[in-house]
Amino acid sequence: VWQGRMTITWVVKKTTPSTKVGLTFASVGKVVAIKGVSGRAAKVTDLVPGLRVLEVNGTTVSGAKQACEIIRKAPVGDIRVTTGGQHHSAVRISEEKAGFTIGQFKAKADFILLTQVDPSGLFPDVPKGHFLWSVNGKRMKTVKQAVKVLRGEKSLAVVVVRPEDLGYDLGVLKPTLMKTKPIEGQKPGTSGLRKKTKVFMQKDYLENFVQSTFNAIRARGTNIVEGTLLIGGDGRYFNKEAIQTIIKMAVANGVKSIWVGQDGLMSTPAISATIRERGPVWKKAFGAFILTASHNPGGPDEDFGIKYNCENGGPAPDILTNTIYENTTKISKYFSCSDFPSIDLSECGLTTVKSFDGTSKQVSVEVISSTENHVTLLKSIFDFNAIRGLLNRKDFSMVYDAMHGVNGPYVKKVFVDILEQPETVCLNCVPKDDFNGGHADPNLTYAKELVEIMGLDRKGTKIDTGDKLVPSFGAAADGDGDRNMILGTSFFVSPSDSLAVIASYAHVIPFFRSQGGLKGVARSMPTSGAVDLVAKDLGFDLFETPTGWKYFGNLMDSKAIFKGTDYTPFICGEESFGTGSDHVREKDGLWAVLAWLSILAFENSKPEDYDSKKSFMSMLAFEESDSSKPLVTVEDIVKRHWAKYGRNYYCRWDFEGVEKAGAEKMMDKMRGDAKTNTGKEIGQYRIATADDFSYKDPVDGSVAKKQGIRFLMEDGSRIIFRLSGTAGSGATVRMYIEQYEKENIDMVASEALDGLVKVALELSAIKTYIGTDEPTVIT
């Protein structure tokens, strides 16, 4: 018995320039095969249809037309056709069976399949599902014909051709090449591509970006055939349709395993957690498409977005997003399995889609729990028993506003199912594709229902709530669940202060305590310097980065990926209500809420003589929350922090939906005036430095420029201007104001910053460029 791969060169005579040699060809992609044999070619022994063509007259061929053209232009003489395939031959020396079963291929009447192969038969290595093309030089078209030959002759020479070489076996898995052309404006911002929903719904818009991403990740060495692609989104309008499109394109591009969040939902931090935590190892996710425009509004007339996260669970780095964008500027085709069935996303379960013959190729799409992996990870990070003890105090109450975004199911899972709290804890926890007509951005302006419940107005000022009981703790999430707002009873915690407080209390969280304590902290450049004071006091490594979570990810992965310094355990945050740690590679709103509840649980249970610097390494667990003592509140904790470290008065003014050209002119003017502004006195302030912030990554050496105009005052105050990279349309100008006070910590923030705000408006001449100096949102 002998079997193996071979190449054979067949010679067909061409007697005159116009002679037809009797060969026709078919091609699938770049694979060329002999389709028909007649005339002179039929006289060549064993030359049969189905053989894969590698060369014609010494020229490698990649298309049927090319093969025909070579023969047509060839001079009189020999036409040499080199074929390759699986050729198996054996000599039957007795009457035993050949050892395989054949059947007619339903999708093509004259094709024969090997449906079963007996490993003890004559052809143990012939794979089932392949096409039986010829026996002893005769083309086999019917089972009856083949059985007669196989049973009637002792010496058998069989030609077997892989069905995928011709595409006939793939059926719904067969890729279709779709022609397209570049569409302007597909450059990702700080966290993916965001545009109006109707823009994404235009012909080829989503497809161009997805194919450009597949091309980019393949070019950087990602093997998308192995491992799993994860897909999920925040549930906004067009989410489910986009998921089905991406599934079809993933299959066409060679992905064999896909996970999708149930109902198409999965928060951004949950996607990061699933990439990092869900196994087994051989099936782990190589990356994910996240369908979200984060805190932007949703609906048919609002915003949609898409971004790609890598195998570490974090957003694609600049080098990859730049490649994706470059690909969108020159794309000419994309691939999709247009007949691939739509997947039912409503129930968890596995769908396996096979080729027609059921053996050659298959793809699995598994709808998985949206919450399981993330919640399991959070349970390993925090002491849920201690948090439960706090929540069960009679003098403690809380409310968590998911703002009809994706975090609703996570809030219910954690607080109702696990921590056994009443459903009244959950506010607006049913995801809706337009966020119920609201703006799912967790700040004092847009989370107005929660803010009012917590006894505040949109400026963070205490209001009269009458006889209504104000909860002890309030939290809000954005559309995709990665942002958070923390509130106490009639008290607003700025994101910058929240980051600083969590860093100072990291030792009470088991995740940090069990690893020897927090090592490093980082903040985005516009975020206040409150956490800097904590880092200096407690000896943490400190980093100031551009806005964008991907910069934090590099620091977290410094050792694991880049073989550099280990900065973990690690906490980081942005003034835009984003906080997180190295448990995932995204900001995590639910993590921040549980961190605050852990701090409250600790403060309401710690011994009176507790000294964090001396005893946190030996503290194994919290005591029960002592309800006999007055409740230590969110306000108490923040004010104690200010008393120790001083207060960074801080606010951000957002000018949303302004004309982009005017905003860019304003930024260019301030950039150009940086040198002349340095040293300038304005009002009661003197500008020590005016510049355009740039950042050299200490991990990979990459440089990010034009990250924000800074005015650094001699007294430590700061004014910063940025153009946001997350707006779906128009432009958003962000103005940041910060003033540090060591002693005077009880002023109203707006009053403390009034003089610096006036300076900022004068330096920028913002009304001249964008037509207004009245912000859309103040936080």
Side-chain angles (χ1 to χ4, degrees), residues 522-526 543-548 551-552 555 573-574 693 695:
R523 62 170 175 84
S524 64
M525 180 272 290
F543 301 91
E544 180 185 39
T545 74
T547 298
Y551 299 106
F552 297 147
L555 294 166
E574 298 177 336
F693 180 64
Y695 175 73

Side-chain angles (χ1 to χ4, degrees), residues 399-404 423-429 449-450 453:
V399 61
Y400 197 146
D401 186 359
M403 301 188 77
H404 290 294
E423 290 210 16
T424 51
V425 166
C426 308
L427 178 65
N428 299 323
C429 283
E449 183 178 0
L450 172 69
I453 290 172

Side-chain angles (χ1 to χ4, degrees), residues 187-192 194-195 293-296 303 441 483 526 547-548 574-576 652-658 660 663-664 666-667 671 706-709 720-736:
K187 186 175 180 61
T190 55
S191 194
R194 297 179 189 175
K195 298 289 182 182
S294 189
H295 55 293
N296 292 10
D303 294 344
D441 191 355
R483 300 181 187 226
T547 298
E574 298 177 336
E575 48 68 39
S576 54
R652 186 183 91 187
W653 286 24
D654 288 356
F655 301 85
E656 297 179 341
V658 303
K660 190 173 183 179
E664 289 177 341
M666 181 187 74
M667 296 295 288
R671 190 175 289 117
K706 294 186 176 181
Q707 295 299 308
I709 306 298
I720 297 163
F721 287 89
R722 280 186 64 248
L723 283 184
S724 173
T726 60
S729 61
T732 295
V733 176
R734 303 201 196 281
M735 181 178 82
Y736 309 85

Side-chain angles (χ1 to χ4, degrees), residues 658 765-774:
V658 303
I766 194 167
K767 189 172 184 178
T768 301
Y769 288 99
I770 67 171
T772 183
D773 57 6
E774 292 294 327

